[in-house]
Amino acid sequence: MHSTDSPVLSLRVKALAALYQHIASTRMQGIPLLNPAVQVEAVGFELVKPEGNEPETTGIGVLITPWFMNLVWLPLRRLDLAKQVGSKVPRYVGRECFEFIAAHEDGFGSYEACSLFSPVFEFENHQAAVATAQAVLDTLRQPASAAAQAVLPQAPARRAFLFGRSSAVAAPGRLEAGRG
């Protein structure tokens, strides 16, 4: 876990990981969509300055679970926006635009997620999942010229759109949300 010198972000990321560890051991226990080689881990969370008319700084990173790997847009303070669950919001991560879906968990609050992998059977072990999550974040955080040339080693092909596959490009410097 990485959270650029922000104690508030660190606390929120730890709470997110603890929430999903609890979900893994309760609600998801015994479900055949689980990859037993993958664990719950929050990877590479960093602060993001507010966009447009948004009043607050948030965190962005990847949440890995035995059943999914998602980019997560995490408010630094608890928000209870349960009525917005399922609504879609376009968000920029670096220079790329992705469609995030609003989520809410009682006891934690609201956040937004964008699926990278679901389920996560592509990963032979947890280290491969973490390496892929970090490679995604590294690529998204590169300057535009470097990101256009980046190649994700051993990336599962179904998510190649994240790295500039020409058929997924909607506009210069932007990817269509929801492709893959």
Side-chain angles (χ1 to χ4, degrees):
M1 178 176 12
H2 177 260
S3 56
T4 336
D5 300 326
S6 170
V8 175
L9 179 58
S10 291
L11 288 173
R12 288 290 287 164
V13 169
K14 285 178 186 175
L16 179 69
L19 167 69
Y20 274 90
Q21 287 172 349
H22 176 73
I23 290 170
S25 66
T26 58
R27 286 189 249 169
M28 296 302 290
Q29 193 64 35
I31 299 211
L33 290 174
L34 302 179
N35 179 344
V38 176
Q39 305 161 11
V40 172
E41 185 172 345
V43 177
F45 276 80
E46 292 185 355
L47 293 174
V48 176
K49 302 253 187 261
E51 291 184 346
N53 61 355
E54 291 190 14
E56 298 188 30
T57 302
T58 56
I60 186 93
V62 173
L63 178 63
I64 300 169
T65 73
W67 64 99
F68 71 72
M69 180 186 297
N70 289 348
L71 277 173
V72 174
W73 191 268
L74 185 63
L76 292 188
R77 67 180 176 91
R78 181 181 170 148
L79 300 175
D80 288 304
L81 306 171
K83 290 181 180 182
Q84 294 181 5
V85 169
S87 63
K88 297 176 181 177
V89 181
R91 299 264 185 214
Y92 279 90
V93 181
R95 299 184 63 119
E96 306 300 332
C97 188
F98 297 96
E99 188 173 77
F100 283 76
I101 298 174
H104 180 86
E105 286 289 334
D106 292 337
F108 180 78
S110 299
Y111 59 98
E112 296 167 5
C114 175
S115 179
L116 298 174
F117 298 92
S118 183
V120 292
F121 292 125
E122 294 90 342
F123 302 106
E124 184 176 305
N125 56 47
H126 185 70
Q127 294 77 15
V130 171
T132 299
Q134 192 58 60
V136 166
L137 291 169
D138 290 348
T139 299
L140 290 173
R141 291 172 176 157
Q142 288 178 359
S145 61
Q149 297 174 9
V151 175
L152 178 61
Q154 300 175 4
R158 73 188 193 124
R159 292 298 174 189
F161 80 94
L162 282 172
F163 305 100
R165 188 172 72 200
S166 60
S167 64
V169 175
R174 297 188 180 165
L175 294 180
E176 281 184 36
R179 280 284 194 116

